[in-house]
Amino acid sequence: MVQGAANWNTEQTQEWLQNYVDDWVAFYRKHTSDGEVASYIPILKEANKDHLGISILGKNGMAIRSGDVGIPFTIQSISKVISFIVACMERGVGYMLDRVDVEPTGEAFNSIMHLEMKKPEKPFNPLVNAGAITVTSMLEGRTSDEKLEPIFHLLEHILGYRPALNVDVYESERDSSMRNRAIGYYLLEIGFLESDLNITLETYFKQCSIEVTVDDLARIGMIIANDGEDPDSKEEIIPRQVTRIAKALMLTCGMYDASGKFATYVGIPAKSGVSGGIIAIAPPRVREEELPFINGCGIGVYGPALDDKGNSIAGIRLLRHIAKQWDLSIF
Ligand SMILES: NC(=O)CC[C@H](N)C(=O)O
C-alpha cells in the first residue's frame, strides 16, 4: 500500500501518484499481448491491441491520467448501466425491479441458454444482453431516437458535452449481430419486451455505439461514486437510490462471469465493454490512515485486448494493482 504522505491533495502528492500510475501503465501495457481484440463485431477488429489508458477523477477534482487517454471508443456494454439508470428515472425503480431481476448469471454476457433452461419470470439482470435488451424496450419513446434522447441528455448533463454516435460501429453491429437478434426474438416470444423488437434492437445497437473517452468514464464514475450528486454544484443528477442499485449490480454482475473474481481481487463496482472500456467506481472509504482518493473517485480504463470473458485483460490487471496499492476495496 502507498503510504507516507499526510495529505493526498497537494500538488506534490499528485505528481508522486502520477509517477506511480505512469509506471504501472507502462508495466501492464505489456500484458495487452495476452489478449485479443473483439472480432464478432467486425469493425472492432480495427482497434489497436497495444493501447492502454486510464483516467482517475476524484470528488475534489484531483485527476490522474496516463497512457492512451485521448482515444475515443464505443461505450458498448457500459451503456447498460446508463440505460438502466435512465429507465429507472423514467419508470421508477419499483417498475423496473418488477420486470428485471438483479441476480448474476455466471454465464457469458450474450448467453441465451440460461433463459431457456431456467425459464425465469424476468431476465436475470440488466447488465447481460438479455436483461439490457429488455431494459431498452422499456425506455420511453416510440422511435430509437426518442428512446435514446434521455440517454444522451443524461450523458450531456454529466459530461458537459453531447457524445457522438459512431455510425460505423452501429452499422457493423446491426449487420452482424445475429446473436442479439436471436436473444431479441426469444425475449419477444416469452413476452418480456415492451416495445417493437426492431426498434428495441436498433436502440440497443445505437446505445452501445456511443463514443466516449476514459475521461468521460471517469467523470460518470465519479458522479455515481458520489451517489449521483455533482460535488461542485451539489445538484442531484441521478437519484441516490438508483445509483445504489447500479453500484450493487456492477459489483455483482458488471464483469460478467468474472464478477466474483473482480469483487474479490479489486473490490469495487465496475462495468466492462467489449471495445475494451471499463468504468470503475471507488466509493468514499473510512480508514485510519489517509489514502489516495479517500473521498471516492471514478476510473475510466481503455485497453481493447480482451480476456476470454470479454473484459480488458490489461485493464483488469491494472485496476487490480491500483486497488491493492491504494486500498480501494469496499470490503
Ligand atoms: N460485452 C459487450 O460490450 C457487448 C456489447 C455488444 N454491443 C453486444 O451486444 O454484443
Side-chain angles (χ1 to χ4, degrees):
M1 199 184 303
V2 181
Q3 274 173 344
N7 177 356
W8 291 102
N9 293 331
T10 64
E11 261 176 48
Q12 205 186 356
T13 50
Q14 174 153 0
E15 200 182 305
W16 195 54
L17 293 178
Q18 178 74 50
N19 290 336
Y20 271 108
V21 175
D22 287 342
D23 284 351
W24 297 336
V25 169
F27 179 81
Y28 285 101
R29 190 190 294 283
K30 295 182 207 124
H31 290 230
T32 56
S33 61
D34 295 343
E36 291 301 331
V37 298
S39 55
Y40 77 101
I41 300 175
I43 199 167
L44 295 184
K45 273 187 280 196
E46 292 170 17
N48 183 338
K49 189 176 156 171
D50 303 333
H51 279 156
L52 182 64
I54 187 166
S55 175
I56 308 167
L57 180 63
K59 202 172 134 177
N60 53 9
M62 183 157 118
I64 308 261
R65 308 167 70 241
S66 189
D68 302 300
V69 289
I71 297 163
F73 53 93
T74 50
I75 191 166
Q76 296 299 339
S77 277
I78 300 168
S79 72
K80 292 167 177 162
V81 178
I82 313 292
S83 55
F84 177 71
I85 288 173
V86 168
C88 286
M89 288 167 73
E90 287 180 347
R91 304 273 180 185
V93 167
Y95 183 97
M96 293 309 295
L97 296 186
D98 281 347
R99 288 161 180 80
V100 187
D101 215 337
V102 288
E103 291 301 339
T105 62
E107 299 294 335
F109 63 87
N110 55 3
S111 165
I112 309 183
M113 178 184 75
H114 228 55
L115 277 176
E116 213 196 349
M117 277 174 38
K118 300 219 166 164
K119 304 214 172 357
E121 281 172 15
K122 42 192 172 183
F124 291 97
N125 71 69
L127 302 189
V128 291
N129 288 17
I133 293 169
T134 305
V135 168
T136 297
S137 82
M138 289 167 186
L139 293 171
E140 282 175 3
R142 283 157 306 154
T143 63
S144 70
D145 286 345
E146 280 179 23
K147 284 176 174 290
L148 285 166
E149 191 48 40
I151 291 182
F152 277 110
H153 186 80
L154 178 66
L155 290 173
E156 186 170 3
H157 197 172
I158 295 174
L159 302 176
Y161 84 101
R162 188 181 168 98
L165 182 83
N166 185 322
V167 177
D168 294 337
V169 173
Y170 161 62
E171 290 179 352
S172 184
E173 181 164 9
R174 180 197 61 194
D175 297 341
S176 63
S177 188
M178 299 313 143
R179 171 69 71 114
N180 282 324
R181 286 184 194 282
I183 293 174
Y185 276 107
Y186 191 76
L187 294 169
L188 182 64
E189 191 207 46
I190 57 181
F192 286 178
L193 295 187
E194 296 200 357
S195 297
D196 171 82
L197 172 63
N198 288 325
I199 289 172
T200 299
L201 286 174
E202 186 184 325
T203 312
Y204 174 76
F205 297 145
K206 283 183 180 166
Q207 76 180 53
C208 289
S209 304
I210 295 172
E211 237 170 25
V212 289
T213 64
V214 285
D215 294 327
D216 296 337
L217 294 183
R219 174 140 182 100
I220 298 166
M222 186 274 289
I223 297 290
I224 298 177
N226 199 35
D227 292 333
E229 184 186 282
D230 183 332
D232 297 324
S233 67
K234 306 283 177 231
E235 184 191 359
E236 181 190 83
I237 300 184
I238 306 166
R240 184 184 189 127
Q241 187 197 12
V242 176
T243 61
R244 285 234 168 105
I245 300 169
K247 281 181 272 196
L249 280 168
M250 291 164 85
L251 187 80
T252 51
C253 318
M255 307 300 280
Y256 309 116
D257 38 339
S259 298
K261 286 190 188 61
F262 195 88
T264 303
Y265 295 113
V266 187
I268 53 177
K271 180 77 203 84
S272 61
V274 80
S275 57
I278 303 176
I279 186 172
I281 290 160
R285 291 157 287 158
V286 181
R287 297 281 198 284
E288 298 272 303
E289 74 270 45
E290 273 288 323
L291 293 166
F293 294 100
I294 189 129
N295 294 323
C297 63
I299 306 178
V301 174
Y302 175 61
L306 307 180
D307 62 19
D308 55 355
K309 312 278 187 200
N311 296 321
S312 172
I313 195 159
I316 287 196
R317 292 176 189 176
L318 176 63
L319 282 172
R320 177 174 170 166
H321 187 80
I322 293 178
K324 187 165 172 219
Q325 293 296 321
W326 295 354
D327 202 15
L328 291 182
S329 171
I330 61 172
F331 298 109

